[in-house]
Amino acid sequence: APTCRWLLALSKPVHRLEPRRPAWSSVSSVPTLVAWSGVLASATATRGLASVVVIVLGLKLIKDNNGGFLSLGEALKNGLGISLISGVVYVVYFYVFVNFIQADYFTNLAAFQEASMIEMYPNMSDEQLENAIEMSKKFSGFGMISAIIMIMSLFFGFVISMIAGLIMKKTQEED
């Protein structure tokens, strides 16, 4: 029964050490924010994979509808169009999320950032801390995050479209 040893090893209980509680865990909604950030990170990875699939399938559909031909310019134009629509949809979702689903998102984000700064830089003066918090608030607003979402969506859409276009490219001159 050598094949069953790994089953026995899996059935043994695993003892885990209790994680050290960070200094900011007393803030009521911050652990929820941290949990949501893990969910959003996995959602971002899923969104990235979905972007690749949607762009490639969209380019394949365009190629099939165009008699099997697809130029690199068409691939870039259509891939960026798909990415633009994807970015707009994501910004609308983010707006709904921060205004209706979790209305205190930016407040929790600011508390989390402040606690992280205090934990990472315990020797920071109060003035330095206030300056750092003001700077992080400038980059944590809805407008700035929306702009970053759109820029990143278009950038990755360009890269994905370029790679897919180079792979799928077939012009009438080549035929």
Side-chain angles (χ1 to χ4, degrees):
T3 56
C4 293
R5 287 184 187 166
W6 64 273
L7 281 173
L8 291 173
L10 289 176
S11 66
K12 291 181 182 176
V14 178
H15 298 286
R16 300 189 192 278
L17 295 174
E18 190 65 31
R20 184 175 67 98
R21 292 182 61 92
W24 46 264
S25 65
S26 61
V27 179
S28 63
S29 295
V30 172
T32 304
L33 179 68
V34 171
W36 269 106
S37 68
V39 170
L40 291 176
S42 65
T44 303
T46 304
R47 181 177 177 265
L49 181 62
S51 294
V52 171
V53 169
V54 169
I55 289 172
V56 169
L57 289 177
L59 294 180
K60 184 178 179 336
L61 182 67
I62 291 167
K63 183 177 180 180
D64 291 343
N65 287 339
N66 202 17
F69 297 108
L70 180 71
S71 69
L72 184 59
E74 287 176 321
L76 287 173
K77 177 179 68 172
N78 290 297
L80 284 172
I82 293 168
S83 297
L84 179 67
I85 292 168
S86 169
V88 168
V89 168
Y90 195 69
V91 166
V92 169
Y93 164 75
F94 184 66
Y95 177 80
V96 170
F97 179 77
V98 300
N99 286 307
F100 302 109
I101 297 172
Q102 185 159 354
D104 57 349
Y105 175 81
F106 288 115
T107 305
N108 293 340
L109 180 63
F112 176 74
Q113 289 174 338
E114 181 177 356
S116 296
M117 282 185 235
I118 291 170
E119 189 173 311
M120 289 174 64
Y121 307 106
N123 297 331
M124 188 182 279
S125 70
D126 289 341
E127 182 181 338
Q128 290 173 323
L129 182 64
E130 289 299 320
N131 290 337
I133 290 170
E134 283 301 314
M135 184 62 73
S136 68
K137 282 183 182 177
K138 288 179 185 177
F139 290 103
S140 297
F142 177 77
M144 183 61 77
I145 291 175
S146 297
I148 291 170
I149 289 171
M150 291 304 297
I151 290 168
M152 296 305 290
S153 180
L154 290 172
F155 174 75
F156 286 115
F158 176 79
V159 171
I160 294 165
S161 300
M162 176 71 80
I163 294 169
L166 288 171
I167 293 170
M168 299 171 68
K169 180 178 94 167
K170 182 179 178 187
T171 58
Q172 293 177 346
E173 296 131 16
E174 294 174 2
D175 207 26

